[in-house]
Amino acid sequence: MFLVVDERQSVAAQYVAGFDQEGVPARCLPVPDFRAWLDAAPAQDIATIDGFVLGDCDDRATCTAALRSLSRAPIIALNETRSLEQTLALFTAGIDDVVRKPVHVREILARASAIRRRMNRGETRVAASPDQSARLTVYTDGRDPEIDGQSLMLPRRERTILEYLARNRGRQVTKSQIFNAVYASHETEVEESVVEGHISKLRKKLRQRLGYDPIEAKRLAGYTFVG
């Protein structure tokens, strides 16, 4: 999920619509709500964010510094004018990239993927067990996962769930957190049956290829990726 922050709600809404057209969940936050979210959001909610897009807002450098202390997700700033001083200040604060508007959402996605590749080579490798070489590779740049070097084609939402669970390996996550990661909504009521349906199909596919279930489920509690 991408989070778009801009003082002009109409601009933020346009970018959210663009992400939606590309099949990527996104939501926008007004600047005051973004600052409140930074102060109060649980770490696991922040972990659902794949990238931050910061448009026009006061004191972006301060917001960026606070955000960087909480998340390693790509942070991309959008500028309407060229300003060397402003660009240098943003990079110093921790911004990963500065792009001049207008910019297409696909370019933002490509830049975010490039940033992730530089940070962690775009993948999380998960060993089946301590005495086996890594069988399952979960990518964080939109590619399908691989099992024993062979691609496992997944629908977008199942792939997003697997990426989220892999990033939180060993930690139990709730259905609400998974729903937020997939549908970019922290405000609407969670449809647990939707989450359960996606995860049931995902676990079946993983079991068929791996021979075991890498996702533990606890009733009324949530799911844990154990690899």
Side-chain angles (χ1 to χ4, degrees):
M1 180 177 75
F2 276 73
L3 192 63
V4 182
V5 181
D6 197 294
E7 290 179 342
R8 295 170 296 180
Q9 283 297 96
S10 60
V11 174
Q14 288 177 357
Y15 279 102
V16 170
F19 279 111
D20 185 63
Q21 289 177 353
E22 297 301 320
V24 177
R27 66 185 295 237
C28 58
L29 278 180
V31 177
D33 291 351
F34 176 61
R35 289 172 176 156
W37 180 80
L38 284 178
D39 292 335
Q44 288 182 321
D45 282 355
I46 295 176
T48 67
I49 309 299
D50 296 313
F52 298 87
V53 179
L54 303 185
D56 292 332
C57 59
D58 292 334
D59 203 5
R60 277 191 296 185
T62 300
C63 287
T64 299
L67 180 56
R68 180 50 75 212
S69 69
L70 300 172
S71 174
R72 295 182 67 247
I75 307 174
I76 298 175
L78 304 181
N79 277 350
E80 289 198 8
T81 59
R82 295 183 183 276
S83 169
L84 177 60
E85 291 76 14
Q86 184 182 65
T87 298
L88 293 177
L90 290 171
F91 278 127
T92 299
I95 285 281
D96 294 300
D97 204 351
V98 180
V99 184
R100 188 176 180 184
K101 292 190 286 188
V103 57
H104 197 283
V105 164
R106 280 182 289 179
E107 182 175 341
I108 294 175
L109 291 171
R111 289 177 179 271
S113 293
I115 292 166
R116 284 192 292 268
R117 286 196 298 272
R118 290 196 297 268
M119 293 174 65
N120 58 14
R121 296 183 182 179
E123 64 185 39
T124 300
R125 293 188 179 274
V126 183
S129 64
D131 61 345
Q132 290 181 302
S133 60
R135 296 185 60 200
L136 173 61
T137 301
V138 181
Y139 294 96
T140 60
D141 58 1
R143 286 179 287 171
D144 283 314
E146 295 179 356
I147 295 177
D148 298 328
Q150 299 297 316
S151 178
L152 174 63
M153 295 184 64
L154 295 174
R156 175 172 56 84
R157 290 198 169 99
E158 291 178 26
R159 186 177 66 244
T160 301
I161 289 173
L162 179 58
E163 291 172 1
Y164 178 62
L165 291 173
R167 286 199 301 268
N168 290 277
R169 183 185 184 186
R171 298 192 325 198
Q172 188 173 84
V173 294
T174 66
K175 294 174 185 176
S176 177
Q177 290 168 328
I178 294 171
F179 185 86
N180 292 336
V182 176
Y183 290 95
S185 177
H186 293 259
E187 299 171 356
T188 59
E189 184 177 350
V190 174
E191 298 183 29
E192 292 192 355
S193 61
V194 173
V195 174
E196 291 170 356
H198 287 315
I199 293 184
S200 176
K201 294 175 183 176
L202 172 62
R203 294 174 71 194
K204 181 178 180 180
K205 293 170 185 176
L206 291 172
R207 281 197 303 268
Q208 289 175 340
R209 291 282 294 270
L210 287 169
Y212 70 96
D213 192 346
I215 300 173
E216 289 184 351
K218 291 187 178 180
R219 189 171 179 271
L220 303 179
Y223 301 91
T224 305
F225 186 85
V226 294

